[in-house]
């Protein structure tokens, strides 16, 4: 009889013990991620991830005919080496000289590479870094008047990042962009100045190492 009562009490507490262990593991994982985010340097080490977007060709005219233009360039990359990331980017842009005057569409999708260089070699201050970025893929520019160029797109240029935290960077990027292909023009190119932000997330290896320290 006594043995049955003991077994009943043990069975009663087993679910609570299991729940406690799960909560403990979740808490440790959360604390590990938080420590990485608050105590690590700018997350541009091997295994880290970069996610963000740049804006360019920004124009919101307030007077008639209310011209408008905007390019948005989301991107994501994974650091395969310290300071060197490979990933992908997407470009979508609209331009219109005014209401009912037609719309020019810019688009692109392709591979991306970004290089920050060796630590310290390209730093202007503790919270800033220079970098270089290049892309290659499919892109095009289709004018409202009927002209177009579509085909192989590429871009390259220097950038400057200011880290407002160890995981968030504001940036400016000047790139030469070109499209080689077919359409009314076989080649189109331009210089593009964009501004944006990137979020730098610690990779699994970094988070796992901090978690083990707990």
């Amino acid at each position: 009889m006594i043995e049955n009562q003991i077994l009943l009490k043990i069975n009663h507490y087993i679910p609570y013990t299991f729940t406690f262990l799960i909560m403990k593991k979740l808490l440790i994982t959360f604390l590990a991620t938080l420590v990485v985010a608050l105590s690590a340097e700018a997350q541009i080490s091997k295994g880290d991830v970069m996610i963000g977007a740049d804006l360019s060709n920004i124009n919101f005219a307030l007077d008639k005919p209310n011209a408008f233009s905007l390019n948005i360039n989301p991107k994501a990359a994974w650091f395969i080496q310290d300071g060197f990331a490979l990933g992908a980017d997407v470009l979508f842009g609209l331009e219109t000289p005014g209401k009912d005057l037609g719309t020019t569409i810019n688009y692109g999708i392709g591979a991306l590479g970004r290089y920050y260089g060796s630590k310290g070699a390209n730093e202007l201050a503790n919270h800033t870094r220079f970098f270089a970025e290049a892309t290659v893929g499919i892109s095009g520019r289709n004018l409202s008047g009927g002209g177009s160029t579509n085909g192989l797109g590429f871009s390259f240029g220097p950038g400057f990042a200011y880290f407002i935290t160890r995981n968030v960077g504001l940036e400016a990027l000047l790139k030469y962009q070109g499209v080689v292909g077919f359409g009314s023009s076989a080649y189109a190119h331009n210089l593009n100045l964009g501004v944006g932000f990137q979020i730098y997330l610690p990779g699994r290896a970094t988070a796992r190492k901090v978690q083990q320290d707990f």
Side-chain angles (χ1 to χ4, degrees), residues 31-41 43 48 166-167 201-203 206-208 210-211:
L31 291 176
T33 304
L34 183 63
V35 168
V36 171
L38 295 179
S39 63
E41 295 183 359
Q43 301 294 338
D48 295 336
R166 290 179 174 87
N167 294 82
L201 302 175
T206 305
R208 190 182 305 116
V210 176
Q211 184 175 346

Side-chain angles (χ1 to χ4, degrees), residues 160-173:
F160 178 79
Y162 175 78
F163 289 88
I164 56 177
T165 72
R166 290 179 174 87
N167 294 82
V168 180
L170 302 178
E171 64 182 37
L173 179 60

Side-chain angles (χ1 to χ4, degrees), residues 58-95:
I58 303 171
N59 179 29
F60 299 92
L62 300 179
D63 299 325
K64 291 184 178 180
N66 302 118
F68 166 83
S69 64
L70 176 66
N71 290 344
I72 182 170
N73 182 203
K75 59 188 68 175
W78 177 57
F79 285 87
I80 61 172
Q81 295 293 337
D82 291 354
F84 180 55
L86 292 178
D89 77 327
V90 177
L91 172 67
F92 181 75
L94 293 175
E95 301 176 25

Side-chain angles (χ1 to χ4, degrees), residues 191-210:
L191 282 176
N192 185 63
L193 177 63
V195 294
F197 72 96
Q198 302 295 329
I199 298 175
Y200 299 83
L201 302 175
R204 291 183 179 179
T206 305
R208 190 182 305 116
K209 182 180 183 304
V210 176

Side-chain angles (χ1 to χ4, degrees), residues 13 23-24 38 41 45 54 65 69 75 79 87 97 112 114 130 133 135 139 151-152 166 171 174 184 200:
Y13 285 107
M23 295 298 295
K24 181 180 177 182
L38 295 179
E41 295 183 359
S45 302
D54 292 332
S69 64
K75 59 188 68 175
F79 285 87
L112 172 146
R114 181 177 285 203
F130 289 102
E133 182 178 293
T135 64
S139 63
L152 176 67
R166 290 179 174 87
E171 64 182 37
L174 178 65
S184 58
Y200 299 83

Side-chain angles (χ1 to χ4, degrees), residues 104-115:
T104 295
I105 298 177
N106 301 307
Y107 71 91
I109 182 170
L112 172 146
R114 181 177 285 203
Y115 180 65

